[in-house]
Amino acid sequence: MSLPLPGTADDRAVGVLLGAACGDALGVPYEFGPPLPADRVPEMVGGGLGPYAPGEYSDDTQMAVCVAESLRDHDDPLAPEALAATARAFLRWRAEGATDIGNQTARVLGGAEHAWRSDDVARVMTEGAAELYASGVRSAGNGSLMRTGPLALAYLDDPWGLAAAARRYSDLTHGDPLAGEACVLWCEGVRHAVVDGDLAGVRAGLNLLPEDRRDAWSGWLGEAEERPPHAFGDNGFVVRALQAAWSAITHEPDGFTGALRAAVRAGNDTDTVAAIAGALLGARWGAGEIPGEYVSAVHGWPGYRAEGLAGLALAVTRRHG
């Protein structure tokens, strides 16, 4: 298939998954490195922790694909069978395709492996994540935020339904409410960008949070709008990851490429910050604004290239439109 016409809602919907994958692959070579100088142009040269081939995306997009395939195959993302399918997909990915996996996610998936074939696998996974958080284990990593973008494509006309789904899908592996709140904000940003073609949705998403959580997140967004992406160096933490991505986007407001490169230049968890940024940038600017060299190179587990990712994104929107 060819990509949709630039400037259309379909173009922006495809941009969600394709933008995340391109950000992921662009950030892979620089993962856990220092911030890059302002004049350094990141390239899809591969390497990184994999090592990865040039243009190959990592766990960020691999897990987003698991979510998107479940959304493609089920009418109600919050139905038990849809959540179970997603949980099983995560476990299959861990066993067959994970080129990298975060510590928090690895612990939760390992604890749920025995329930692979059970109808209760999503419940077991969620309870395991909640127990880790309750035990004092740090559980606000960026591993649920990085994969959350495709959910927006199933709720383009339903921000409150999207907020509920964002929390529920985050809870599969991350018991800390901070992780779910970050997913709510970013998903609403993505949804709004696909529908309206602007970036107002992230701040509008504050109204989807519990009232007593809005001021904290408004302050964190304000910090990101004032400071450069590399100021949020501890970006394995979900709040800092979101801030780094939002900083890159708000400081480079005029297109896809400059902001995506700024996200990579932030340093540390570069593939994840750039995948998070790429989902929103793709939703805002559309797949047609992604550089052709990125589109032609991007690929990864379980065998997707750009056209396959585009088809998957459109299949989600068609199912839930």
Side-chain angles (χ1 to χ4, degrees):
M1 63 169 286
S2 58
L3 296 180
L5 289 174
T8 62
D10 279 352
D11 178 46
R12 295 192 294 273
V14 167
V16 175
L17 197 50
L18 189 56
C22 288
D24 186 354
L26 189 67
V28 153
Y30 311 98
E31 188 172 14
F32 297 129
L36 301 179
D39 60 353
R40 176 76 177 274
V41 177
E43 298 178 276
M44 284 187 183
V45 294
L49 301 182
Y52 294 91
E56 184 178 3
Y57 56 72
S58 71
D59 57 325
D60 309 80
T61 308
Q62 291 164 4
M63 295 195 81
V65 162
C66 291
V67 173
E69 288 181 336
S70 179
L71 297 173
R72 176 198 63 195
D73 296 339
H74 296 87
D75 290 329
D76 179 1
L78 289 175
E81 56 269 24
L83 288 161
T86 304
R88 289 193 192 96
F90 288 168
L91 292 171
R92 178 172 65 89
W93 162 75
R94 175 178 177 267
E96 299 175 4
T99 50
D100 186 22
I101 186 168
N103 292 334
Q104 163 74 11
T105 299
R107 288 188 66 173
V108 172
L109 297 190
E113 188 174 13
H114 69 280
W116 186 315
R117 293 177 175 81
S118 168
D119 292 339
D120 290 333
V121 61
R123 179 186 59 77
V124 170
M125 194 173 287
T126 301
E127 289 179 354
E131 288 168 7
L132 274 181
Y133 172 59
S135 73
V137 173
R138 295 181 64 185
S139 302
N142 59 26
S144 61
L145 180 59
M146 71 185 191
R147 66 182 189 237
T148 200
L151 281 166
L153 301 178
Y155 290 92
L156 291 177
D157 298 319
D158 184 5
W160 286 99
L162 175 58
R167 292 187 189 92
R168 184 68 186 85
Y169 276 72
S170 179
D171 287 347
L172 283 169
T173 54
H174 288 65
D176 193 318
L178 277 174
E181 292 163 5
C183 291
V184 169
L185 289 181
W186 212 250
C187 278
E188 178 57 13
V190 170
R191 186 202 68 81
H192 184 93
V194 172
V195 173
D196 293 322
D198 63 46
L199 295 170
V202 174
R203 279 202 166 271
L206 292 168
N207 291 325
L208 302 173
L209 298 178
E211 189 171 355
D212 64 351
R213 301 297 303 144
R214 295 172 189 171
D215 285 347
W217 277 103
S218 181
W220 289 328
L221 291 175
E223 288 178 358
E225 291 156 6
E226 293 172 359
R227 303 172 68 191
H230 63 76
F232 306 100
D234 184 21
N235 52 38
F237 173 40
V238 70
V239 175
R240 301 292 176 258
L242 187 147
Q243 287 180 301
W246 187 234
S247 172
I249 291 169
T250 56
H251 284 83
E252 297 282 349
D254 297 327
F256 179 92
T257 307
L260 194 71
R261 290 173 175 171
V264 174
R265 291 192 192 101
N268 197 14
D269 202 353
T270 50
D271 59 329
T272 297
V273 172
I276 294 164
L280 182 54
L281 288 166
R284 164 62 181 91
W285 297 103
E289 290 296 315
I290 301 176
E293 63 189 275
Y294 295 176
V295 174
S296 62
V298 73
H299 68 282
W301 181 89
Y304 283 106
R305 301 195 69 90
E307 289 193 352
L309 293 170
L312 179 57
L314 290 176
V316 174
T317 64
R318 300 290 187 266
R319 179 133 198 168
H320 298 276

